[in-house]
Amino acid sequence: MGSILSTFGALAIGGIVASATIVGVVSSQTSPSGESPANVNQPVIQYGSES
């Protein structure tokens, strides 16, 4: 009986960690454009620049 409870406890903790990770990734990818590394509407492409 204890092993069943520990299995469900581990599944619950794993689910919480996984959902928190997914929420963090999605929110960082869909943050406002000021915080995003690139802008899809106005891409900046610098060919041959050495800066």
Side-chain angles (χ1 to χ4, degrees), residues 23-47:
V23 167
V25 168
V26 169
S27 66
S28 70
Q29 295 298 320
T30 58
S31 62
S33 62
E35 299 175 10
S36 295
N39 187 351
V40 175
N41 296 325
Q42 296 177 343
V44 177
I45 302 172
Q46 298 175 348
Y47 293 106

